[in-house]
Amino acid sequence: MDWLDLSFLKKDLKVGALIEARGLTKKFSGLTAVSKVSLSCERGHIHAVIGPNGAGKSTLMNLLSGELRPTEGKIVVDGVDVTGYGSTKMSLLGVGRSYQRTNIYPSLSVLENCNIAVQSRLDMSMQFMRSVNAYPDVESGSRRVIERLQLDSLSYKKASELSHGEQRQIEIALALATDPKVLLLDEPLAGMGAEESLNMIALLQRIRSDFAVILVEHDMDAVFALADTLTVMQNGEIIESDKPAVVRSSPRVQEAYLGTSIDA
Amino acid sequence: MRAILRKLFFGLIFLALLLLPFWGDRFYIQFASKILIMIVFVSSLNLLVGFTGLVSLGHAAFFGFSGYVLALLSPVDSAMNFFVALLASILCTGVLGVIFGALVLRTKGIFFIMSTLALGEMLFYFLHDTDLAGGSDGMYINSRPDVSFFDWWQLDLANVVHFYYLALITAVIVLIVIRAIIHSPFGRVLAGICVNEHRTKALGYNTYKFKLVCFVIASMIAAVSGFLSAVQFGVVNPEMVGWHVSGHALMMVILGGKGAILGPVIGTTTLMLVEEGFQMVTKHWQLLTGVAIVLVALFFPHGLVGFKFFKKGS
């Protein structure tokens, strides 16, 4: 295909961007929840999205993870146009996500939680006559994830018996266990105490180098500790997107969202 | 200690089941066969209700349809080969399972329950109001299928004892198959769907596909029970596909404990024995059965398998 010059297609695709949104818009019968949002993230980077309640952050996450279909705009994952793909396909393409409201398997053990996630990457789930014991790869994969998150001591505990902070970590573990390229983290610190938050931030610091991370979070300490790029949303639109230090001093952002809290 | 007692208990029960024909009279052997067939049917429903979280009120459609396949295929004056007939019933019912499943699995929750009910009732009225298969009277199976392994061994299905052993072997095989499914990678995905379908989808599973395969497997196992039931009584009628049968089976699943392989076994046996016992005592047996069910629901909210003795481990 030498005769066809495709370079114009690559011009606006940032080099190495694992996930990119272009002009994403989502309308819910009249209400525009997300309006012309463009952002991108590459491996090893954390792109944080902040904004007041109702700014459209969760909708944006649901668009990026395929749980909602954008009204307009494009989503590109690792060079592939995935606009309109559902959450199942997105997951298989390497987009893992965690949820704001813990979304795990409460009645199953931590190990079994991870097993379900790991098995989704191995081609055997339709096998219904052989025992799971015939496939040790699944459990060893789960154990690697559990070790990585230092949850070994909880392996055999039922997820519903864990503390909230621990459940939030299982939430991350499930996403990691699908071996994603892109991680969408929707308020990983939601409802956590100070110490649990610090643990979670440390955890994210440990694993960040392997993924392109898009992070929605209310905890400003966490955002400034983690983010390489900071996008501020308001009423569904991006009002600022830059390095955290630049955003912090932007008068527009201060007025719209951060107010005085950042100086305090 | 309890584990040993448990093994001993189940061992004794199995022994008793093997020996039953030697001391039970005809009626009880027939009744035991009926229970065993029902256990197969209720276990297939439990695969949907207990292990996948799909509450179906139309499962009897497959039970009855399978019987009808046998009745329609059986020649009037000669016996059909048992294995050919069984295979045909299972496969035809499997096709019906694909069609029904593909439709009802597009819905969730209460809508799923209602659409399974609707399809089941559609089949009921189709069989009831058309002359295709005997209408409301149903059909007789004049000559039972012939179970013979070439010339050296033969089962006589009209013989109560022979039939009993066939039902016993079938029930054991079906329970082993269901156990294998639950402990397979496929069963793991079903467990995921049962506990949290949303997350299972987001982890990259096409849950519709998994539910459909499960639905078809369940319909095919139900076909086995419907086939045996038709063979036992030599007759099929529209009541077999009606929602009463589905509801009754659902009650047995819940009574025994959903999501446990032993649940349907305990639930079916208990309910059928209790009903039979009350029927002997009084005309108003349904009232007593109702009270018994309420009591179980009150004291064993997770079904009779919640009774500690049946539990593995601690």
Side-chain angles (χ1 to χ4, degrees), chain A residues 67 88 91 97 99 103-105 107 112 115-116 119-121 125 127-128 130-132 135 138 171 174 178, chain B residues 177 180-181 183-186 188-189 191-192 195-196 198-206 209-210 213 217:
Chain A
E67 255 154 88
T88 303
S91 167
R97 79 165 288 182
Y99 291 81
N103 190 0
I104 57 180
Y105 302 102
S107 58
E112 198 48 44
N115 283 345
I116 296 176
Q119 188 180 293
S120 69
R121 305 299 119 155
S125 292
Q127 177 58 251
F128 59 81
R130 289 184 72 184
S131 163
V132 286
Y135 305 94
V138 177
E171 181 72 44
L174 283 184
T178 60
Chain B
V177 167
I181 293 173
H183 292 287
S184 70
F186 179 74
R188 178 180 273 154
V189 181
V195 179
N196 187 344
H198 176 218
R199 187 68 196 224
T200 309
K201 231 184 205 167
L203 287 175
Y205 292 105
N206 180 351
K209 198 171 85 184
F210 284 89
V213 172
I217 292 175

Side-chain angles (χ1 to χ4, degrees), chain B residues 29-298:
Chain B
I29 300 169
Q30 238 169 1
F31 185 60
S33 305
K34 229 170 109 180
I35 293 182
L36 287 167
I37 292 170
M38 209 56 189
I39 285 176
V40 172
F41 179 56
V42 175
S43 294
S44 76
L45 180 61
N46 190 32
L47 197 58
L48 293 178
V49 177
F51 293 110
T52 320
L54 298 168
V55 180
S56 167
L57 258 183
H59 204 52
F62 307 118
F63 179 78
F65 185 76
S66 165
Y68 269 97
V69 173
L70 172 68
L72 288 169
L73 284 181
S74 295
V76 184
D77 47 359
S78 64
M80 213 180 158
N81 181 294
F82 176 83
F83 297 101
V84 174
L86 179 62
L87 200 68
S89 282
I90 293 177
L91 288 180
C92 292
T93 310
V95 171
L96 187 73
V98 173
I99 297 167
F100 277 20
L103 291 170
V104 295
L105 288 170
R106 301 197 167 273
T107 61
K108 284 202 168 72
I110 189 78
F111 302 105
F112 178 82
I113 301 178
M114 296 315 283
S115 46
T116 51
L117 180 64
L119 284 183
E121 288 305 277
M122 271 168 64
L123 187 63
F124 172 83
Y125 283 108
F126 176 73
L127 293 171
H128 190 273
D129 295 345
T130 63
D131 293 329
L132 189 80
S136 58
D137 294 334
M139 282 176 83
Y140 287 98
I141 299 155
N142 290 320
S143 38
R144 290 187 166 82
D146 159 47
V147 192
S148 56
F149 296 91
F150 306 104
D151 278 334
W152 53 269
W153 195 67
Q154 197 168 15
L155 266 183
D156 175 14
L157 293 182
N159 179 315
V160 176
V161 175
H162 283 197
F163 186 82
Y164 170 78
Y165 282 119
L166 177 70
L168 182 62
I169 292 167
T170 310
V172 170
I173 292 174
V174 163
L175 289 177
I176 291 172
V177 167
I178 287 180
R179 203 188 120 85
I181 293 173
I182 298 315
H183 292 287
S184 70
F186 179 74
R188 178 180 273 154
V189 181
L190 294 187
I193 292 172
C194 188
V195 179
N196 187 344
E197 182 174 359
H198 176 218
R199 187 68 196 224
T200 309
K201 231 184 205 167
L203 287 175
Y205 292 105
N206 180 351
T207 54
Y208 179 78
K209 198 171 85 184
F210 284 89
K211 287 192 290 186
L212 184 58
V213 172
C214 175
F215 196 87
V216 174
I217 292 175
S219 72
M220 288 163 94
I221 296 176
V224 174
S225 60
F227 178 87
L228 284 183
S229 185
V231 170
Q232 182 177 21
F233 299 112
V235 62
V236 291
N237 57 50
E239 312 301 324
M240 277 176 86
V241 303
W243 74 273
H244 273 279
V245 178
S246 303
H248 203 211
L250 195 58
M251 212 143 76
M252 293 174 186
V253 170
I254 293 164
L255 192 72
K258 61 190 172 74
I261 291 164
L262 271 184
V265 179
I266 297 166
T268 307
T269 313
T270 312
L271 191 62
M272 288 182 73
L273 285 177
V274 164
E275 283 179 349
E276 195 66 27
F278 286 155
Q279 273 180 53
M280 287 175 185
V281 181
T282 163
K283 240 176 14 184
H284 307 290
W285 58 277
Q286 280 166 320
L287 187 68
L288 292 179
T289 312
V291 172
I293 288 171
V294 170
L295 287 179
V296 171
L298 218 53

Side-chain angles (χ1 to χ4, degrees), chain A residues 64-75:
Chain A
L64 292 176
S65 69
E67 255 154 88
L68 290 175
R69 220 179 151 75
T71 317
E72 272 167 48
K74 236 181 182 183
I75 302 169

Side-chain angles (χ1 to χ4, degrees), chain B residues 2-4 6-7 10 179 182-183 260-262 305-314:
Chain B
R2 188 186 282 145
I4 299 170
R6 214 173 139 262
K7 278 200 179 120
F10 287 122
R179 203 188 120 85
I182 298 315
H183 292 287
I261 291 164
L262 271 184
V305 278
F307 187 47
K308 263 192 178 162
F309 185 76
F310 295 121
K311 272 193 184 155
K312 265 189 194 159
S314 62

